[in-house]
Amino acid sequence: MTDFAGKTYWLIGASEGLGRALAKDLSAEGANLVISARSEDRLQSLRDEVGDARVVAFDVTDPAAVQQAVHAAGDVDGIIYNAGAYDPMRATEWESQSALTMCEVNFMGAMRVLGEVVPNLVRKGQGDITLVGSLAGYSGLPASIGYGASKAAMVSLAETMRHDLRDTGVLVRLVNPGFIKTRLTQKNEFKMPQLMTPEVAAKHVLKAMRHSRFRNDFPAPFSWFIRSLTFLPDLLVYRGR
C-alpha cells in the first residue's frame, strides 16, 4: 500500500473539481504537491487552502510551456494527469475548434507532458503515474464528439504504457470516473446516472493510488453497465443502422 507522506506529486489539472479535491486529500495525507493548471489565480487560492504547494501554471496545449513546466516541477515521485476539457457535442452539430480543443487538452496534452517526464522516471528506475480517463472512453456514446475519442485515446495510452513500463520501476494506473458534478458537466442537459461530487470522486482516486492495480472504474454499478456495452451486438447498440 502506498504511503503518500513525504512524497512529491505533480497534479496537473488541479484548479477545479476533481483535481482540486484530490489536491486537498493528498495534502492531508502528507504529500508534497506541485499543482498545475492554466489559472494561476485558482492555483494560488488552492495553495492557500492546502497550506503548502508549489504552483506551476501552464497550458498543456503549448509545447514550449510544457517543457518549461517540467523543468519548474523538478524531480517528482509521481504525476497525475487530470487536465480536461468538455463540451457536449453531436456529430450533427460539430464545432471543429471545440472538438479539437478537447483532443488537445485531454489527450495530446498528456502526450506532451509524459513525453518529457517518462524518460526521466525510467532513467531513475521509479515513479508513479496516474492517468485520469473516463468511462466515456470505453464506448462511442451520443453527443460525445471530441470528448469520447480523446478519452478512448487516453485508455489506449495507459494500457500501452502499463505493458511497456513493466519491470522499469515505473507504475502506471488508469482511473475512469463516471459523471462528476463540476462546471463542465453543468453543460449537460440529460440526467447523469450516479452523479458524484468532486470530493467523492477524489476519494475513489486516492483509494486507487494506494494500490498497484492498473484499472480503476467507478462508480459501480454504472461502470459495469458502460463496460457491458462493448459486449453487445452492433445491431442492438446502433438500433439496426
Side-chain angles (χ1 to χ4, degrees):
M1 182 175 289
T2 300
D3 182 6
F4 303 109
K7 293 183 178 179
T8 300
Y9 287 86
W10 185 14
L11 175 51
I12 301 172
S15 62
E16 306 288 345
L18 169 60
R20 196 175 188 91
L22 182 58
K24 295 176 183 178
D25 284 348
L26 284 168
S27 179
E29 292 281 339
N32 301 315
L33 293 178
V34 181
I35 51 176
S36 292
R38 285 183 302 172
S39 173
E40 186 163 3
D41 288 345
R42 291 297 290 159
L43 292 173
Q44 295 288 359
S45 71
L46 175 58
R47 183 178 65 177
D48 292 341
E49 290 184 51
V50 300
D52 185 26
R54 280 194 291 132
V55 171
V56 178
F58 76 105
D59 185 344
V60 298
T61 69
D62 182 339
V66 168
Q67 291 181 339
Q68 293 172 5
V70 170
H71 179 75
D75 189 36
V76 298
D77 297 295
I79 182 170
I80 305 146
Y81 191 87
N82 178 60
Y86 172 71
D87 279 310
M89 186 186 307
R90 293 185 179 275
T92 53
E93 300 167 347
W94 198 306
E95 295 180 11
S96 185
Q97 188 55 57
S98 177
L100 290 172
T101 295
M102 284 185 270
C103 293
E104 283 287 337
V105 174
N106 299 347
F107 175 62
M108 289 303 297
M111 292 289 285
R112 292 186 187 95
V113 171
L114 294 171
E116 299 290 333
V117 171
V118 170
N120 293 331
L121 296 180
V122 171
R123 281 192 291 269
K124 192 168 63 170
Q126 61 182 16
D128 188 283
I129 300 172
T130 301
L131 301 180
V132 180
S134 169
L135 294 180
Y138 283 130
S139 181
L141 300 172
S144 193
I145 290 294
Y147 185 77
S150 65
K151 290 301 186 178
M154 182 67 92
V155 171
S156 178
L157 172 63
E159 291 170 345
T160 298
M161 290 175 63
R162 181 75 174 204
H163 282 303
D164 291 349
L165 295 177
R166 183 188 307 168
D167 301 326
T168 66
V170 180
L171 177 69
V172 179
R173 73 175 61 77
L174 172 69
V175 294
N176 290 312
F179 294 109
I180 304 173
K181 188 175 183 180
T182 67
R183 58 186 175 82
L184 297 180
T185 55
Q186 287 176 353
K187 302 174 184 179
N188 290 336
E189 297 178 351
F190 55 85
K191 183 177 180 180
M192 293 173 277
Q194 292 188 261
L195 181 66
M196 299 171 285
T197 64
E199 290 73 23
V200 168
K203 292 294 189 294
H204 280 282
V205 176
L206 193 70
K207 180 180 179 181
M209 290 179 63
R210 293 188 189 279
H211 303 280
S212 61
R213 187 176 73 183
F214 169 62
R215 194 181 308 270
N216 302 268
D217 302 331
F218 60 91
F222 181 57
S223 60
W224 305 338
F225 168 72
I226 293 295
R227 292 297 303 273
S228 73
L229 293 177
T230 61
F231 299 104
L232 295 177
D234 287 349
L235 186 66
L236 181 58
V237 174
Y238 303 109
R239 301 176 186 177
R241 293 175 185 158

